[in-house]
Structures are given as structure tokens and as C-alpha cells.
Amino acid sequence: MSRTRPAAVMILAAGAGTRMKSATPKVLHPLAGRSLVGHALAAAASLDPQRIVVVVRHEREQVAAHVSDIAPHALLADQDEIPGTGRAVFCGLSTLDATAVAARVANGEVGDSAVLDTQLTGAVVVTSGDVPLVDGELLGALMDAHHDAGSAVTLLTAQVDDPTGYGRIVRDAGTGEVVEIVEHKDASADQLAITEINAGIYVFDATVLRGALAQLGQDNAQGEMYLTDVIAIARGDGGRVQPFVAPDAAATEGVNDRVQLATAGRRLNDRILERWMREGVTIVDPATTWIDADVTLAADVTVLPGTQLHGATEIAGGATVGPDSTLTDVSVGAGATVTRTHGTSAVIEAGATVGPFSYLRPGTHLGADGKIGAFVETKNATIGAHSKVPHLSYVGDATIGQHSNIGAATIFVNFNGVSKSHSTVGDHVRIGSDNSLIAPVSIGDGAYTGAGAIIRRDVPPGALALSNAPQQNVDGWVQRRRPGTGSAEAADRAAQAGDGGDALSSAPPAGTANDPQGEA
């Protein structure tokens, strides 16, 4: 990042964002797992400034609460009723100055009267809460250029093919310094041909900025205090105003509507995917893969098509995720496989397998080399190492030990309509197919349950639990009670052929000691 540390970074987040046409403030719209202002805060923090201040106004309470939640050390400055970016920066700098004074007074360094001697000094970076592609690397390069040139002001510019609507950068032909920024509507024919535009991101010397802001007026068609007027004031006072051209013009584009939000999201995702692929991650189909900014991937991870990785998801080396999987705040261990799965706030340990068509709800913890199979839902469930829940089951509010197997169509019945209770299954347990475990219940180590069992009481270690009644066959029931149906006709044909069903009648009842498991 930057070689030099700024005194402060100021993020402008006071705008109404009316073109978003949303009840959500513009800077709170999400992108790659962060809000728009969250991206600005992350970029600011990477510069390690002495202070960060966010200027707010529109939907102030929502924006302020969000900023305080994700960046509790950031200051908040309220823009007053006077409009314009210049006024927003004035309010932000006033807050920074007041904080600097208060800190030195509190430390006993100066008295209350020594205000001018205690105001903020050094470089102030001014950026926006709606430019999610402006990262710490770009801000750092801008900061370094400012420091190296000893400028009063350094502004970020961009070379674009179509500058329509943007302020043009007018340079001094000899020095290359910025003479002025001319708005599109005020530009001459020659100035309209300029393709270098103002990106609206600056580094100011704090003293220069403070003096120039005091001279800003509202004598313009919009009745606003323009930050761009600081450029002319700084030059008039003999200060150097230096441009810094962004290496990628697209990175400087702001988000003002839903179309631009989607465009920025695609570009940011492409950037994230490229970074991980260069770190040794295989992403089979970047066009259908979405990875949030705070996801962590190790080398030799494979991400298959149709996969979305959100939040603070972590994938260890050798793991494979996808296809068609969505994981949010999920930890996946080394060598694990997750296929066609939706998971949130879950842990999958090394070598485990999940899916296809599994639903891991919060609190799921699958042990090493364990299995959660097809059409299985889990919640607040700890499943031990080498244990398996292969298919068609619900495991909620449960602890399963190691090397245990849960038969197909097993339900952990955890809710009585008022409260939820916990069930415990020990090590090396075999739960038969189509079981219902009525919580709270405990099944001891090495125990078995028969197919179709409803377990209401604790099962001791090594015991076999059965609850279903012996099977009874009522001969001729279909012909007597469903005459004329296809079933009755089929039964008659079988009887005439001599297949009376004796084999069925003599079979041992399912779920007895002769057939305790009935596993699928």
C-alpha cells in the first residue's frame, strides 16, 4: 500500500442517491459481501491513517449505525443544510480538527485556547462512499505521488473514451500541473475534446484545504459549495496541483443507479477471481462463479461452475466446492468435497463430503471424513469424525459421536411446539432407516435401532431398540375392499397363477432381531 501515512481519510457519504430508487441508502447497497461504504472504509483502513471520518446526511441514522458497526473507530461528521461537496469536506475537516484539539487537550499537551496550534496537519485523502473499485492500492499510489511531488493538492484523474458529462482536466502545457477543472456544461469546444476527467478523489495538504474551504462561496447555478473550486484557490496561493492518472479508468467509476451497481459488481468479482486464480485456485468457470471480498481460499482449491462463496467463508487446500453451491460464512477443511449444497455458518472438517442437495443451516459442524449426503438438512448439529448422515434426513439440535451411521429418512424431532430439545447419539451407533428420535433422548455407544423405530426413551450402550408392531398380512383384503380396481385384478391374476404370497406371509417382521436395521 502507501509508503506514507496520511493524517486522515475522509469518506463522503452524505448524498441522497435518488437514482437508486431505493428505501436503502445508496452507500449501504451490498457488493461482494460489503456495503459500498464498507469498500471505501476498507480502502481507507489499508492506508493506516491517524483518523478516518465519514460525512453523513441522507438517512443519517441508518448510515451512521452501519459505519459504527463495521468501523467503530471511524469518526462521523454531519453535513449541514448547505449543499455541495465543498461543504461536506468543510464539515468533515471541522470534525477532524475538533477531534485533534480534544485529544491534545485531554492529554494535557495544550490548553483550550491553543486551537490553531492543535488543528490537524498533514495529508488528508478525500474519497467517496460510492466508488467500490477504488481500493487501498490505488489510494496508496495516489498518496505516494502526492508525497513525492510535495504538492498542495493531488487529484485522481482518468483517461476515458467518452468524457461526456464529466469535468475536464485542463493542464499547464509546460509543467503538466492542473490549471483548472471545467465542468462539461461550461467547457469550450477545445476543452470538450479533452479526454482526461476528474475522478473526484483527492489528497490535500490539510492547511491548504482549510484555508481554501474558508473562501468557498455558493455563487453558481446550483447554489452549492464546490470542492473543485479549491483547485483554483490553491493555485492562486502558489500551491502545486498535481494530477495522478488512474491505471484503470473503470476503477474510478461511481455507483449511482442499479445498472452501475451491477456493472461494478461484475468488475469487482472479476478482479477477485483473477487474484485467487493467480494464488493457485482453480476456478473452472469464472462467468458463473461469485466470490465475496472477505472470502479466503488456499492454493489447490477447486471451485466448480455455479458456485457462490459469501461472507467470511474459508476453503482449505485441496477442497472442492460445487457445482451449484452457495456457502455463506462456512469453513471447509482440507480435501473436503461440497456438491450442490446451500450452507450458512457451518463447519466442514478435512476430508468430509457434503451433498448433493444438502442444506447446512447455522450451527452445523461436520467432523473429519464425515458425510452429509443427498437431501439432508442439518441445524445446530455436531456430527463426529467418520460419522454419516447419507440421505433423506433431518438432524436438528443434535450431537452425533464418531463412526456412527444415521439411516435413510431419519428425523431428529426437536420441537414440541413450544421449545426445542437436544438429542445425543454416541459413537459407533447404527440408526435404522425411517427412525424418529423424539428429543430429548440419548442413544448410547454401540447401540442399534430397528427400521421404522420411534425412539422416545434413552437407549443404553450396546442395546437394540425396537418400537414397531409385528407385521400382519390380511389376505384378500384388496379384492374384498377394492373390487374392480387395477390392484384387485392384478391380485386375482397372481392368485390364478399360483402366487399366493406365501413368501411374504412367512417373512420375519421388519425391525425385529432378525432384521434390526433396514438401512437403505
Side-chain angles (χ1 to χ4, degrees):
M1 298 305 175
S2 175
R3 303 188 307 271
T4 54
R5 184 186 186 196
V9 176
M10 186 185 305
I11 300 171
L12 306 184
T18 54
R19 281 183 280 173
M20 296 297 288
K21 298 182 179 179
S22 174
T24 300
K26 179 176 75 169
V27 296
L28 300 192
H29 278 262
L31 202 69
R34 298 174 182 164
S35 63
L36 292 178
V37 74
H39 286 285
L41 284 162
S46 71
L47 299 182
D48 190 29
Q50 296 175 35
R51 290 184 176 87
I52 297 173
V53 62
V54 181
V55 183
V56 297
R57 179 171 173 81
H58 177 72
E59 299 291 350
R60 192 261 183 210
E61 297 307 318
Q62 288 187 60
V63 177
H66 176 72
V67 170
S68 296
D69 182 50
I70 65 174
H73 299 299
L75 302 172
L76 291 165
D78 290 291
Q79 183 174 357
D80 55 25
E81 69 281 357
I82 299 176
T85 52
R87 187 62 179 183
V89 172
F90 177 90
C91 294
L93 186 60
S94 298
T95 297
L96 288 168
D97 281 341
T99 302
V101 171
R104 296 194 66 184
V105 171
N107 291 335
E109 298 177 31
V110 295
D112 290 333
S113 61
V115 174
L116 291 178
D117 293 334
T118 58
Q119 290 177 320
L120 187 77
T121 58
V124 178
V125 178
V126 176
T127 184
S128 175
D130 63 358
V131 284
L133 295 176
V134 174
D135 57 12
E137 182 177 353
L138 180 55
L139 289 184
L142 179 67
M143 181 67 200
D144 289 340
H146 177 81
H147 178 269
D148 293 345
S151 300
V153 183
T154 304
L155 62 154
L156 186 66
T157 69
Q159 289 284 355
V160 297
D161 294 332
D162 182 7
T164 303
Y166 292 98
R168 306 303 206 277
I169 300 297
V170 180
R171 294 193 185 217
D172 182 285
T175 66
E177 293 181 25
V178 177
V179 174
E180 61 178 332
I181 301 172
V182 180
E183 296 302 320
H184 180 91
K185 61 181 181 296
D186 300 323
S188 66
D190 289 340
Q191 291 168 337
L192 286 174
I194 297 172
T195 57
E196 185 179 11
I197 63 168
N198 177 30
I201 297 172
Y202 312 84
V203 184
F204 296 100
D205 175 84
T207 302
V208 172
L209 177 62
R210 187 179 297 108
L213 289 173
Q215 302 177 53
L216 293 184
Q218 297 173 256
D219 186 18
N220 53 66
Q222 302 298 322
E224 297 183 4
M225 294 178 66
Y226 291 138
L227 184 59
T228 51
D229 289 345
V230 170
I231 304 302
I233 295 171
R235 276 187 61 84
D237 291 340
R240 182 177 186 182
V241 179
Q242 186 77 15
F244 179 81
V245 182
D248 177 12
T252 68
E253 294 182 7
V255 171
N256 294 300
D257 57 31
R258 309 289 183 125
V259 174
Q260 292 175 334
L261 182 68
T263 300
R266 177 78 266 177
R267 288 172 175 163
L268 182 55
N269 190 65
D270 288 344
R271 179 188 293 180
I272 292 170
L273 297 183
E274 180 178 345
R275 174 167 66 90
W276 286 122
M277 286 187 284
R278 294 193 185 282
E279 291 291 329
V281 174
T282 295
I283 298 176
V284 175
D285 184 15
T288 62
T289 302
W290 292 83
I291 299 178
D292 281 356
D294 294 323
V295 170
T296 302
L297 306 176
D300 290 322
V301 164
T302 298
V303 182
L304 298 178
T307 295
Q308 302 178 58
L309 303 178
H310 297 309
T313 293
E314 298 180 354
I315 314 293
T320 299
V321 179
D324 307 322
S325 296
T326 301
L327 304 183
T328 303
D329 299 326
V330 174
S331 175
V332 180
T337 301
V338 182
T339 305
R340 289 192 168 88
T341 292
H342 190 108
T344 302
S345 299
V347 175
I348 302 164
E349 293 194 11
T353 61
V354 178
F357 309 113
S358 299
Y359 182 21
L360 277 53
R361 294 168 61 188
T364 296
H365 190 130
L366 177 61
D369 298 307
K371 178 178 182 178
I372 294 175
F375 301 103
V376 173
E377 179 179 344
T378 59
K379 179 188 71 69
N380 287 338
T382 298
I383 302 167
H386 304 280
S387 287
K388 299 178 181 180
V389 187
H391 30 215
L392 301 165
S393 296
Y394 171 70
V395 182
D397 295 290
T399 299
I400 300 172
Q402 300 183 16
H403 297 279
S404 291
N405 188 83
I406 308 301
T410 292
I411 304 298
F412 283 70
V413 185
N414 60 333
F415 186 51
N416 63 7
V418 178
S419 60
K420 295 185 177 182
S421 299
H422 195 86
S423 294
T424 301
V425 175
D427 298 338
H428 294 276
V429 171
R430 297 292 181 265
I431 301 296
S433 294
D434 196 25
N435 273 210
S436 293
L437 310 184
I438 312 299
V441 69
S442 178
I443 300 176
D445 293 347
Y448 277 54
T449 66
I454 300 176
I455 306 300
R456 300 178 182 275
R457 296 179 297 165
D458 290 353
V459 179
L464 169 64
L466 304 172
S467 70
N468 53 325
Q471 179 176 326
Q472 296 183 12
N473 296 338
V474 181
D475 292 337
W477 184 90
V478 172
Q479 291 95 324
R480 292 194 303 273
R481 301 299 295 272
R482 299 291 186 269
T485 65
S487 298
E489 293 173 358
D492 285 338
R493 287 194 297 270
Q496 292 171 6
D499 183 6
D502 290 342
L504 285 176
S505 298
S506 61
T512 67
N514 292 323
D515 182 21
Q517 195 64 11
E519 295 182 43

